[in-house]
Structure formats: C-alpha cells, structure tokens
Amino acid sequence: MVSAVMLSSPDVVKPGEEVSIFIGNIGAGDPFRIDIIGNIKTDAGSFFTFKLNKLDLPLDIVNPTLKVYINGLVPDSKLNVSVNQKKYNEGLDTADNTGLFDLDIGRPGMPKGTYDVEINGTAAKTQIPVTFSIAGTNTNAEPFAVSTFSISGFSSGIFDVTTYVKNLPPAPFVERKQFTVQDQFIATK
C-alpha cells in the first residue's frame, strides 16, 4: 500500500483554531517528516510569537530531530525556542549578523503525546518565514493517525503543512496544504 496523507481543515482559520492532519499507512520503521512553515505578518522591529498549541503527536518517534529555521530577524537579536517549556537556547539563542536563525535539536525520542512549541523573536521585516520540522522514525505501525494543533501568537499570515513518509526530502512530499490565518473573516459578495 502506498503511504498517504490527507489534510482536513478549512483553508482560512482564526488564530488558535484547530487544524487536523490525517496520516495513513505509516509502517513500523518508516522514516517521516512533518514541516510546518509559517509566514507571519508583523511590524518591522516588533516582537513576534509563533506558537503550535497542543500538537497531538500520535506516533512514537525514535531519534527525532526538531528543526527551527527563521529568516528576517533583527541581526544579533535574542530568540526563545521552547518545546513543552524546555528552552533550547544554550548559547544558540541569537540570530546571526544577517538575521538568520537555524537550529537542529536532537532528542533520544518523542513518545506519543501532546507538545507545545513556542518560538519568538524580533522581526526586521514585515513578513517573517518560520519553519518548524519534526523528522524521525516511527516505531509502531499506524494505519490511520490523526494529529491536531492550533497556531497562535500572530493575527495574520499563512502556513503550510507538508508531510513526507518513507521518502524524505529532496524526494517528493506526500501531501501539502496551505492555510491562511486571519483574525477576522471578511464577507464578500
């Protein structure tokens, strides 16, 4: 059977509204990766936050790597990256002199559970691309996994969810879905 991913949620969500990702046919020992890539609209020079709230991870992952990539920060500015209130800033909490922050966080494992992710810093531009990825190997076969989360901390922007199963980048992704975040819906005729 071919691995498949379906993403199901409205295309436009309010900040904090839940998004669901359905992942099918993941075998034990299959490598996979989920990229959540946001493009946050903010004011240049302002402090911003990108939060993944109650990220329900239905898989047991061995040797996971969490990746945080942000471009467009105030050069040499401070950042905070935390996963379930554990801060990952041991000497790596500053953007470089071009405004780039690139961090890989290795962990021994990520058991099934709920995770909160918070990334914040100071924007140099009016749009800040933020990438948060989870990559690893699934230890249990999962015919149909449902992962839910909400994104908050900003009132306007877009984010993509891209999933790879078995074939990791640069191989083709299994599924990609783009969502728009708006704090108010605008009625059109």
Side-chain angles (χ1 to χ4, degrees):
M1 257 178 132
V2 175
S3 293
V5 174
M6 299 176 294
L7 299 162
S8 176
S9 281
D11 290 341
V12 179
V13 296
K14 292 182 180 179
E17 187 173 353
E18 188 174 88
V19 173
S20 300
I21 306 169
F22 302 95
I23 308 169
N25 301 323
I26 299 178
D30 283 351
F32 79 98
R33 180 169 132 180
I34 297 173
D35 294 340
I36 300 170
I37 302 171
N39 193 343
I40 300 169
K41 293 182 182 177
T42 188
D43 295 325
S46 68
F47 186 77
F48 72 90
T49 299
F50 181 80
K51 290 183 182 178
L52 300 175
N53 305 298
K54 297 182 182 177
L55 173 61
D56 182 26
L57 190 64
L59 307 172
D60 284 316
I61 306 169
V62 293
N63 299 319
T65 299
L66 310 180
K67 181 171 186 62
V68 178
Y69 179 87
I70 308 171
N71 198 359
L73 299 166
V74 170
D76 303 314
S77 62
K78 299 289 184 187
L79 279 97
N80 173 48
V81 176
S82 65
V83 178
N84 282 19
Q85 291 74 49
K86 178 177 167 71
K87 291 187 178 183
Y88 292 96
N89 61 359
E90 300 98 24
L92 298 169
D93 61 345
T94 305
D96 70 12
N97 61 4
T98 68
L100 176 68
F101 182 78
D102 190 358
L103 174 65
D104 289 331
I105 304 165
R107 297 175 65 137
M110 286 184 75
K112 285 183 185 182
T114 303
Y115 295 86
D116 291 309
V117 178
E118 182 173 343
I119 302 164
N120 50 47
T122 304
K125 302 177 181 179
T126 56
Q127 289 189 302
I128 302 297
V130 178
T131 298
F132 179 76
S133 298
I134 301 171
T137 302
N138 180 44
T139 61
N140 57 310
E142 185 59 65
F144 188 71
V146 180
S147 180
T148 58
F149 64 93
S150 65
I151 288 187
S152 65
F154 62 100
S155 61
S156 182
I158 59 171
F159 67 96
D160 291 335
V161 179
T162 306
T163 307
Y164 303 84
V165 178
K166 293 186 183 176
N167 298 318
L168 300 181
F173 57 84
V174 175
E175 185 66 45
R176 174 179 284 157
K177 170 87 177 195
Q178 185 174 84
F179 299 92
T180 300
V181 177
Q182 287 182 195
D183 61 356
Q184 296 179 2
F185 290 111
I186 300 169
T188 58
K189 292 184 178 184

